[in-house]
Amino acid sequence: MTEPPAPPAAAAPPEAEASALRQAPPSLWRDRNFAAFWSAQSISQFGVQIGHLAMPVLAVVILGASEFQVGVLNASATAAFLLIGLPAGAWVDRWLKRQVMITADLVRAAAMLSVPLLWWMDLLHMWHLYAVAGVLGIATVFFDVAYQSYVPVLVRNDQVPDANSKLESTAQLARMGGPAAGGALLQVIAAPLLFLADTVGYLFSALFLARTRDREARAPRHDRRPLAVEIKEGLGFVVRHPLISRIAACTGLTNFFAGLAATLFPLLVLRELGLGAGALGLVYSVAAAGGLLGAVAAPRLAKLTGEGALIPLASLASAVFLMAMPLSVLMPDEAWALILLVVGEAGLSFCSLVYNVMQVTMRQRVCPPRLLGRMNASIRFLVYGVLPLSGLLAGVLGHAIGLVPTLWIGVAGTLLAAVPVLFSPLWTLRRLPDSYEG
């Protein structure tokens, strides 16, 4: 016997319907423009991660780079953040961000293609890698500033957290699969050929970006002011904001000291421990898995600890996991050393992604749209501009006092880097600010 049909539900008043629509932003899964943009980043990231493994392996194993040369290589790759990081933000605010990203992808593809060509002609030397790393760094500065400023242009403000979560999740998946695939490929092909994967990735990224559509208009020329004035406005916003300024200080100090360890990490795995390129790729891949878990877990952890408190907690935990690097040389055999490195790098990536998901979303929300490019460029100048200095110092210290003591200096400095957010109002904030009007 069937039951009588239920009476129809009462229609919601128009005000309730409007409120519900405001509270539930449209799903990004059905947004074709975001899907094209998301596809571009996913494909390019996979190629980038394969090539990311190739650079240190090529330098250390094939070209026999010393600690100092590895430091110079890292400095070349990141020097652009220090040299052009600030004006890049002002320029990106004047230009169409999607066109900036397409151009940057094409420049990076050409730079990466030059490495296997030089190797095939038996002309490849370390100074070529320095030059390629420098060109890649310049293009990456423009791409990254435009990329972070483009998300609020492409999607609604209430969709920004969801967009960031999706983009970061697939980036972490690429970081998981890319190095592992690169390590496997290195068993059968030469390291320079892995640079071809980067080339293909950048070309696919440019193709999908070309298919993305948006309504961004170029900033009117009559609204432009002298470049120095615009740079000062963006940097001033970062320095004066009570939360962003502390986060920038913590991130910059962390990058400087953790950069000492990151610069020498390939030498630790390939030369000091003798684990090989396959092990290096495995550690990078498992670390990315930890980052993926961190990106997914960040919202839930924020509910437990409070959004503000999660930032200093993640900063402290990152320094603890970094200790795995110097401790690995004390392990009784190679297997235990590899296990410790895998656990340490996975934990470090987990904490770093938790930290980044919380602070990047807040920055995008609290910054006025007209300042997005300059704000992101100012942040990147402050937190990434230290990397070339860190790379050079790692090379000098590694040569002068040894690899392991330099790693311990990096650990100690990373612990101290948490001070700006430890002694801050973040501990009292159950919810971080989410509007620039506030």
Side-chain angles (χ1 to χ4, degrees), residues 20-274:
L21 287 173
R22 285 194 299 270
Q23 294 175 2
S27 172
L28 290 175
W29 291 103
R30 296 191 295 270
D31 188 326
R32 292 186 178 181
N33 276 323
F34 179 77
F37 179 64
W38 191 10
S39 299
Q41 300 319 299
S42 301
I43 295 171
S44 68
Q45 282 289 335
F46 191 82
V48 166
Q49 293 308 315
I50 293 179
H52 179 67
L53 178 67
M55 186 74 81
V57 172
L58 176 61
V60 174
V61 176
I62 295 182
L63 298 180
S66 65
E67 288 87 349
F68 180 73
Q69 287 176 316
V70 170
V72 173
L73 181 62
N74 271 31
S76 300
T78 54
F81 289 106
L82 180 63
L83 299 177
I84 63 167
L86 287 177
W91 287 324
V92 167
D93 276 341
R94 296 178 177 183
W95 300 335
L96 297 177
K97 297 173 181 60
R98 185 167 62 91
Q99 295 300 323
V100 172
M101 289 186 284
I102 292 173
T103 302
D105 272 337
L106 295 177
V107 170
R108 293 191 291 187
M112 296 304 285
L113 183 60
S114 69
V115 173
L117 290 177
L118 288 169
W119 173 75
W120 179 67
M121 292 185 293
D122 198 24
L123 297 174
L124 185 63
H125 298 284
M126 278 300 300
W127 72 267
H128 291 123
L129 290 189
Y130 299 154
V132 169
V135 172
L136 289 173
I138 293 171
T140 297
V141 165
F142 283 101
F143 184 95
D144 287 355
V145 170
Y147 165 75
Q148 285 200 335
S149 305
Y150 188 63
V151 173
V153 172
L154 190 64
V155 303
R156 291 172 22 170
N157 190 53
D158 52 2
Q159 294 174 311
V160 168
D162 186 27
N164 282 334
S165 177
K166 286 179 167 56
L167 290 166
E168 195 56 56
S169 295
T170 50
Q172 288 301 315
L173 285 173
R175 293 178 188 126
M176 287 168 56
L185 287 172
L186 280 173
Q187 307 304 313
V188 294
I189 65 173
L193 296 180
L194 284 186
F195 284 76
L196 293 175
D198 254 342
T199 302
V200 173
Y202 288 133
L203 291 176
F204 268 104
S205 176
L207 175 63
F208 277 93
L209 283 169
R211 297 179 59 186
T212 305
R213 296 292 177 264
D214 59 65
R215 297 182 179 180
E216 183 184 17
R218 193 184 298 270
R221 287 185 176 273
H222 59 77
D223 287 345
R224 296 179 183 176
R225 291 167 295 166
L227 189 64
V229 174
E230 294 190 349
I231 291 173
K232 182 179 178 180
E233 188 177 11
L235 188 59
F237 175 83
V238 171
V239 172
R240 287 192 298 269
H241 196 283
L243 298 181
I244 293 179
S245 59
R246 290 178 177 272
I247 288 171
C250 173
T251 309
L253 289 170
T254 298
N255 283 351
F256 179 82
F257 287 104
L260 297 178
T263 298
L264 298 178
F265 184 65
L267 283 168
L268 172 69
V269 175
L270 298 172
R271 191 170 295 169
E272 185 77 17
L273 298 175

Side-chain angles (χ1 to χ4, degrees), residues 335-347:
W336 280 108
L338 180 59
I339 291 171
L340 181 60
L341 289 176
V342 165
V343 172
E345 289 298 295

Side-chain angles (χ1 to χ4, degrees), residues 305-327:
T305 66
E307 292 181 349
L310 189 56
I311 290 176
L313 288 174
S315 178
L316 277 177
S318 296
V320 173
F321 281 110
L322 190 63
M323 293 181 184
M325 285 192 195
L327 288 175

